[in-house]
Amino acid sequence: MKIAVVGATGMVGEVMLKVLAERNFPVTELLLVASERSVGKKLTFKNKEYTVIGLADAVAAKPQIAIFSAGGDTSLQWAPKFAEAGTTVVDNSSAWRMDPTKKLIVPEINAHELTKDDKIIANPNCSTIQMVLALSQLHKKYKMKRVVVSTYQSVSGTGVKAVKQLENEIAGIEGEMAYPYPISRNVLPHCDTFLENGYTKEEMKLAREPQKIFNDKTFSVTATAVRVPTSGGHSEAVNVQFENDFDLADVRQIISDTPGVVLQDNTATNSYPMPMFAHDKDEVFVGRLRRDESQPNTLNMWIVADNLRKGAATNAIQIGEYLIANNLV
Ligand SMILES: NC(=O)c1ccc[n+]([C@@H]2O[C@H](COP(=O)([O-])OP(=O)(O)OC[C@H]3O[C@@H](n4cnc5c(N)ncnc54)[C@H](OP(=O)(O)O)[C@@H]3O)[C@@H](O)[C@H]2O)c1
């Protein structure tokens, strides 16, 4: 497979290369692509050095799959050009997610919807992926009615510039700011930009993407997205009201049996998910399971995952693996 990684010099791009190597993705030719600023730069994949190229050269090389993590504008402008050249694009930005002509895929949930005609495939938002995966089998059995989620998102979710801001602040160095306020020793109720309705874009992604992934508009989601000074890993406090009553032991079993999800829930041993445990892992970790005693059929849970892995690179690469395994590219 001739594979292009667009945004190879970025936070997600770096993890993308790591995950491609770890999973032995069948790469026969690799094109590492970034902005004109990075053209000529050297990157290493499986002990081999590669020179970063620009987007036009990458389109001309006609890769079978291009995995994009280079921001929404780059995707809007370039993904159609790759698609026209016959390349299947898996896009990590928000550019195509809510486009009704594009599919929004979490492989464990809805990869079966993919066909050969899907030339631009959207990867959901990192906070969405971990939440829907943890809820997927519970939804099947008990039917979700309403989800209230509050996120605790790491600075790596914003990209290189934000990680640098946190590192500078910890080291007492003045530098470029990714956020309007300091993030070290602070918490910002502000992920992505504000919209007319008072929510942030990130909050609206969490509200809308799950319905599309489950192909189900019978439940609703409301979100508060918060940036915290962790370097990697997103956490979420999720309150989910089901149509039907549940049995907590059964909920635990269902979560344990959900592919890609790990139950980490034993208060007697202080066992619960945390970003430090999720770091560099592909799974989504779930714990603090308890019945919401304030209303019927409602569950509280805590969900953590590595946003650069299952939240971005791993999910995109799993889509690629599915395409190859099913002869869709
Ligand atoms: N971070 C996460 O947890 C996460 C999760 C899911 C999805 N995403 C999405 O993934 C994308 C990248 O995120 P990131 O965190 O990796 O950001 P990042 O660290 O800032 O990296 C951005 C990458 O995009 C490239 N790029 C920027 N402008 C470009 C252009 N005009 N043409 C070609 N390449 C360009 C950059 O190349 P240069 O080095 O040359 O500037 C760099 O490789 C975003 O769309 C983001 O929404 C991120």
Side-chain angles (χ1 to χ4, degrees), residues 6-13 33-38 55 69-72 74 92-94 97 124-126 156-161 234 307-308 311-312:
V6 180
T9 52
M11 294 248 54
V12 176
V33 190
S35 77
E36 290 304 319
R37 294 179 291 273
S38 302
L55 278 153
S69 44
T74 307
N92 263 298
S93 80
S94 57
R97 288 180 192 150
N125 174 47
C126 42
S156 67
T158 313
V160 171
K161 203 172 145 189
H234 290 352
N307 49 296
L308 296 172

Side-chain angles (χ1 to χ4, degrees), residues 267-289:
T267 50
T269 56
N270 294 337
S271 173
Y272 38 74
M274 288 191 284
M276 63 186 281
F277 295 147
H279 177 67
D280 238 3
K281 306 258 170 48
D282 288 320
E283 295 87 359
V284 170
F285 297 85
V286 178
R288 299 296 323 279
L289 288 169

Side-chain angles (χ1 to χ4, degrees), residues 13-32:
E14 188 185 335
V15 177
M16 200 74 80
L17 295 183
K18 202 168 154 188
V19 178
L20 283 171
E22 273 175 21
R23 296 174 79 97
N24 245 329
F25 197 89
V27 181
T28 47
E29 204 178 319
L30 184 64
L31 308 168
L32 299 186

Side-chain angles (χ1 to χ4, degrees), residues 141-144 241-246 297-298:
K141 175 131 188 212
Y142 297 115
K143 206 159 180 351
M144 296 188 301
Q241 185 182 17
F242 295 102
E243 296 282 355
N244 305 305
D245 196 13
F246 56 84
N297 306 349
T298 307

